[in-house]
């Protein structure tokens, strides 16, 4: 589904990613871990096509497309979804309006009929209930005045409505109390499917108690310094990131 080869990315001429190789197959969940500033969010943002990130070398293939040549909205239409580490507030746009517009744009692209208001509300209520969210959040401006936990749940709600092929979740677990973490984790877990891949960017191991990934990668100074199975996350929890050195080839 996703094949990243030797990806180098700079911001303001400063190299941030320095040769990322990563292959993610349909049905898999990959955790991307690493210390603050190692480039996790940069990787997520580049895959989603955000501005200001300059790819200086390498390539990214997604379902047979050259992902890097697609505009952000084309990527979204092709099924790439990014949940932001810091979800954006959109004043003046009701949450439900954004959800409906995004879903109908996707359906139109696929040649499917738009959902009418009744069918859409039924769909979104079902997801809302699963996420333990108050229906009033649908009618407020997107993320405006939402608590940290409500914003993170709202990201998962968006994902559940959009049903992406490739979901990239950037620290969707950070700042959540234990109950909210469980709800968010259940929401992500329910999205696991043989034809969907999920990249979970997380600083901490605790989300991976609920969602056991197929592979764990540790970013350090813009490189994948270490890759392994789910046990690697537990080792990191015990030993910290100090023993992972980007410039040493220590892949396992
Ligand atoms: P992580 O998500 O792993 O904490 P980031 O990808 O956010 O790491 O950041 C990686 C590095 O890139 C950091 O040194 C950070 O300061 C730098 N960086 C990120 N975004 C910008 C930006 N917009 N302008 C300049 N430097 C940035
Ligand atoms: Mg960070
Ligand atoms: Mg980050």
């Amino acid at each position: 589904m996703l094949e990243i080869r030797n990806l180098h990315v700079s911001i303001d001429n400063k190299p941030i990613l320095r040769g990322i190789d990563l292959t993610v197959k349909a049905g898999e969940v990959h955790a991307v871990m690493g210390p603050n500033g190692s480039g996790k969010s940069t990787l997520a943002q580049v895959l989603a096509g955000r501005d200001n990130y300059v790819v200086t070398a390498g390539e990214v293939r997604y379902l047979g497309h050259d992902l890097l040549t697609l505009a952000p909205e084309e990527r979204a239409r092709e099924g790439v979804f990014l949940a932001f580490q810091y979800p954006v507030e959109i004043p003046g746009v009701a949450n439900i309006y954004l959800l409906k517009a995004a879903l109908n744009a996707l359906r139109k692209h696929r040649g499917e009929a738009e959902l009418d208001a009744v069918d859409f509300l039924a769909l979104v209520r079902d997801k809302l209930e699963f996420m333990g969210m108050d229906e009033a959040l649908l009618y407020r401006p997107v993320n405006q005045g939402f608590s940290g936990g409500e914003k993170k749940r709202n990201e998962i709600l968006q994902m559940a409505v959009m049903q992406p092929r490739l979901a990239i979740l950037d620290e969707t677990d950070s700042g959540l109390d234990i109950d909210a973490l469980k709800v968010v984790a259940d929401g992500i877990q329910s999205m696991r499917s043989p034809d969907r891949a999920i990249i979970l960017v997380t600083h901490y191991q605790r989300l991976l108690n609920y969602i056991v990934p197929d592979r764990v990668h540790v970013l350090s100074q813009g490189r994948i310094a270490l890759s392994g199975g789910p046990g690697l996350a537990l080792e990191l929890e015990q030993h910290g990131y100090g023993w992972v050195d980007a410039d040493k080839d220590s892949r396992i």
Side-chain angles (χ1 to χ4, degrees), residues 6 15 55 60 116 133 147 174 188 197 215 239:
N6 190 36
V55 175
V60 181
D116 65 27
M133 292 170 71
S147 71
S174 65
I188 299 168
R215 297 289 290 166
H239 304 294

Side-chain angles (χ1 to χ4, degrees), residues 34-41 85-86 170-171 203:
N36 280 322
S38 56
K40 303 184 298 297
S41 289
Q85 180 171 1
Y86 305 106
D170 192 358
E171 297 207 24
H203 187 77

Side-chain angles (χ1 to χ4, degrees), residues 11-12 14 16 34-43 52-53 85 170-171 201 219:
I11 305 172
D12 294 336
K14 181 183 160 203
I16 307 290
N36 280 322
S38 56
K40 303 184 298 297
S41 289
T42 301
L43 178 61
N52 306 324
Y53 299 86
Q85 180 171 1
D170 192 358
E171 297 207 24
V201 174
L219 239 62

